[in-house]
């Protein structure tokens, strides 16, 4: 008789409004990724799968990036509805970080959306200055960029810009053992 | 000098009669987080991170501005204090615009360090995103109000140690801010000697040298104490 291997955890990573640095740090886990791959099945990830639709029945989902546009918002609501455990992965997800800097213009005429589009596509354009406008293709910016937990319930926070591979590994190892991640001290906490 | 006996976290501690509770805590080898306090400057009790429980006192007391008394019974880390301290630090982050990733003080910031110390992994308070100014009018230094926590260390070091009093605190409530001169651009305040003491003691990335980019600020919070000591003990290197 062979012993049944425990079912693999259904694991997802999501990339919202961030620079992908948290995912790069995740890839910095190097050979430990082989150990992780023995414990989890990657069902959705911009760096490890080509699946376009966030699947049902996800056990653990790491979310990089703030919520800055309509697509981010839709995916955030979807991943929450379809995941058991949601993790704010890195400073942009935890605090809105650099993407959130445009919120400083929320109170000026036209709001932050208009201010950032005008600056990026009109004022700084060398030629062909125009607002991007392609409904259904280019997602609309939200007026405010928000950290993930201001929109959906978040189970764990993994700060850092990006969190180091070592921090990510300690965090995931604890979760895989069924324990709460040891979020204390400079090794595990700290923005920037 | 009289010596007083007190109890801190169940431990018997003796302290000089003119000591503060913070000094007694530290002399016993114990720690409470602090931000506005700096050895060498007059304590002001502005940040409220050093709050402690003193038995018989109806409210929490800031250790840095509370005098020791004989028989005092002090607790530095009750669950209530730990909760309030973390909330206070979360409020600092939520009320300013702290984007550590692009800050001059990243990695050397006392606010960041205190956030780690109190176990903050995120802020439960919504970020306010106030629109504040950057004063880059000084030839050597800049003041980014987005990162100022109003600890007034700059105000005190300039007044008490450099004896120039360039800085003050202006306005009220959420508009409260550090002002130079009579609320002028810093570079126009003729009294400034360009000594850089305010930059050295600022706990955050608010005051910085113009040549410093992200993560390059090297603060020197010990400078205030060193200068006071050198003046009172006459420890000048060239004597
Ligand atoms: S001052 Fe400190 S807490 Fe604020 S952004 Fe800079 S490093 Fe972060
Ligand atoms: S540089 Fe020196 S004199 Fe000028 S404001 Fe700072 S502490 Fe005062
Ligand atoms: S500029 Fe720096 S030293 Fe001055 S009050 Fe603000 S944080 Fe404190
Ligand atoms: S250190 Fe005591 S109130 Fe700031």
């Amino acid at each position: 008789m062979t012993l049944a291997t425990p079912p693999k955890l259904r694991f997802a990573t999501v990339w919202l409004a961030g620079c992908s640095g948290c995912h790069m740090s995740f890839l910095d886990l190097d050979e430990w990724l082989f150990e992780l791959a023995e414990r989890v099945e990657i069902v959705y990830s911009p760096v490890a799968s080509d699946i376009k639709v966030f699947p049902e029945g996800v056990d653990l989902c790491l979310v990089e990036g703030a919520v800055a546009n309509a697509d981010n918002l839709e995916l955030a609501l979807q991943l929450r509805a379809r995941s058991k455990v949601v993790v704010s992965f890195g400073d942009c997800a935890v605090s809105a970080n650099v993407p959130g800097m445009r919120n400083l213009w929320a109170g000026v005429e036209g709001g932050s959306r208009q201010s950032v589009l005008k600056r990026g596509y009109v004022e700084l354009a060398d030629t062909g200055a125009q607002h991007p406008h392609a409904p259904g293709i280019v997602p609309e910016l939200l007026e405010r960029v928000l950290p993930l937990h201001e929109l959906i319930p978040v189970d764990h926070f993994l700060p850092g810009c990006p969190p180091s591979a070592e921090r990510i590994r300690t965090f995931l190892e604890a979760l895989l053992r069924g324990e709460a991640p040891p979020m204390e001290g400079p090794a595990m906490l700290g923005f920037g | 000098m009289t010596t007083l006996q007190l109890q801190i976290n169940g431990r018997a501690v003796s302290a000089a009669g003119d000591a503060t509770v913070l000094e007694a805590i530290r002399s016993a080898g114990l720690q409470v987080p602090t931000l506005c306090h700096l050895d060498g400057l007059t304590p002001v009790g502005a940040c409220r991170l050093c709050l402690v429980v003193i038995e018989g006192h109806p409210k929490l007391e800031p250790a840095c501005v509370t005098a020791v008394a004989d028989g005092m019974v002090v607790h530095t880390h009750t669950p209530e204090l730990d909760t309030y301290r973390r909330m206070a630090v979360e409020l600092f982050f939520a009320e300013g615009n702290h984007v550590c990733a692009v800050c001059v003080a990243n990695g050397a910031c006392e606010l960041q360090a205190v956030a780690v110390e109190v176990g903050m992994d995120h802020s439960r308070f919504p970020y306010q995103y106030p629109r504040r100014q950057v004063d880059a009018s000084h030839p050597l230094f800049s003041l980014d109000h987005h990162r100022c926590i109003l600890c007034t260390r700059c105000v005190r070091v300039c007044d008490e140690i450099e004896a120039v009093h360039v800085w003050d605190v202006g306005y009220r409530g959420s508009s409260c801010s550090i002002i130079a001169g009579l609320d002028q651009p810093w570079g126009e305040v003729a009294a400034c000697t360009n000594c850089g003491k305010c930059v050295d003691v600022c706990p955050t990335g608010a005051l910085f040298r113009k040549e410093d980019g992200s993560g390059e600020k090297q603060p020197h919070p010990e400078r205030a104490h060193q200068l006071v000591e050198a003046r009172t003990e006459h420890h000048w290197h060239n004597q």
Side-chain angles (χ1 to χ4, degrees):
Chain A
M1 196 185 90
T2 53
L3 288 174
T5 47
K8 284 187 169 185
L9 214 68
R10 287 169 61 78
F11 179 70
T13 76
V14 166
W15 178 13
L16 304 179
C19 69
S20 93
C22 298
H23 275 89
M24 295 305 113
S25 207
F26 177 76
L27 293 178
D28 273 347
L29 285 164
D30 298 336
E31 64 266 39
W32 190 74
L33 287 170
F34 290 108
E35 280 178 52
L36 181 66
E38 280 171 19
R39 304 290 313 279
V40 306
E41 180 193 353
I42 298 174
V43 291
Y44 184 91
S45 169
V47 295
S49 84
D50 196 26
I51 294 159
K52 305 293 184 219
V53 179
F54 194 89
E56 300 280 352
V58 170
D59 293 305
L60 173 60
C61 178
L62 303 187
V63 185
E64 167 186 338
V67 180
N69 65 31
D71 281 10
N72 297 157
L73 178 59
E74 193 187 329
L75 184 50
L77 296 172
Q78 206 169 52
L79 72 87
R80 178 66 275 183
R82 298 177 181 179
S83 311
K84 271 202 206 108
V85 174
V86 172
V87 178
S88 254
F89 178 33
D91 283 0
C92 293
V94 174
S95 75
N97 201 28
V98 174
M101 287 171 81
R102 79 164 150 94
N103 293 349
L104 296 180
W105 279 263
V108 305
E109 204 188 326
S112 82
R113 229 184 339 193
Q114 283 311 310
S115 304
V116 74
L117 290 176
K118 192 167 148 226
R119 183 76 182 142
Y121 291 94
V122 179
E123 290 172 6
L124 294 176
D126 295 327
T127 56
Q130 61 172 337
H131 280 287
H133 185 67
I137 298 175
V138 180
E140 292 289 315
L141 296 183
L142 304 176
E143 179 47 31
R144 254 174 195 266
V145 184
L146 293 174
L148 198 59
H149 67 273
E150 289 192 27
L151 286 161
I152 59 167
V154 165
D155 302 291
H156 298 282
F157 297 85
L158 181 54
C161 183
S164 67
E166 202 50 42
R167 191 182 282 185
I168 299 170
R169 176 174 166 174
T170 308
F171 180 91
L172 289 177
E173 279 176 336
L175 280 187
L176 291 172
R177 282 195 304 268
E179 294 166 10
M183 300 311 291
E184 46 182 54
M188 295 307 290
L189 292 176
F191 296 135
Chain B
M1 176 65 63
T2 49
T3 302
L4 304 177
Q5 297 300 321
L6 55 162
Q7 208 194 77
I8 304 178
N9 298 348
R11 194 193 293 189
V13 174
S14 48
D18 64 352
T20 62
V21 174
L22 181 64
E23 286 164 344
I25 290 169
R26 289 187 173 167
S27 70
L30 302 167
Q31 283 301 331
V32 283
T34 57
L35 272 177
C36 65
H37 178 82
L38 194 67
D39 285 343
L41 302 179
T42 308
V44 288
C47 73
R48 318 310 275 183
L49 286 185
C50 70
L51 288 179
V52 292
V53 172
I54 299 177
E55 285 184 16
H57 287 223
K59 60 187 181 59
L60 305 175
E61 306 278 9
C64 64
V65 286
T66 304
V68 291
D70 212 23
M72 209 176 227
V73 180
V74 181
H75 303 275
T76 64
H77 283 83
T78 66
E80 180 195 30
L81 286 171
D82 292 343
T83 303
Y84 285 157
R85 281 198 193 114
R86 180 170 160 178
M87 284 168 70
V89 177
E90 287 175 27
L91 285 166
F92 276 122
F93 277 88
E95 68 95 27
N97 293 306
H98 294 279
V99 186
C100 298
V102 293
C103 179
V104 282
N106 191 14
C109 170
E110 291 181 45
L111 180 57
Q112 274 183 329
V114 155
V116 172
E117 188 178 346
V118 300
M120 172 183 160
D121 59 2
H122 75 291
S123 169
R124 290 163 291 184
F125 302 103
Y127 291 88
Q128 300 297 300
Y129 299 106
R131 274 201 94 194
R132 296 183 183 165
Q133 303 298 316
V134 178
D135 182 349
S137 60
H138 192 284
L140 302 174
F141 316 120
S142 294
L143 169 53
D144 182 346
H145 290 280
H146 296 98
R147 302 167 184 148
C148 173
I149 56 166
L150 296 170
C151 68
T152 72
R153 284 188 189 181
C154 55
V155 178
R156 286 173 283 152
V157 82
C158 189
D159 178 46
E160 297 172 10
I161 297 187
E162 186 62 5
V164 171
H165 202 122
V166 167
W167 299 114
D168 236 311
V169 181
Y171 307 99
R172 290 165 189 240
S174 60
S175 306
C176 190
S177 75
I178 293 297
I179 53 169
L182 294 168
D183 201 3
Q184 293 155 272
W186 185 5
E188 288 174 19
V189 180
C192 175
T193 63
N194 311 331
C195 71
K197 291 185 179 71
C198 53
V199 180
D200 284 343
V201 301
C202 175
T204 70
L207 282 165
F208 57 95
R209 284 165 206 276
K210 283 193 162 154
E211 69 260 29
D212 287 343
S214 295
E216 290 181 349
K217 179 172 172 175
Q218 293 182 318
H220 296 284
E222 72 292 344
R223 193 143 293 166
H225 177 64
Q226 282 171 348
L227 283 167
V228 169
E229 199 179 63
R231 281 175 195 178
T232 46
E233 319 269 328
H234 301 287
H235 285 160
W236 305 110
H237 291 304
N238 58 359
Q239 274 182 357

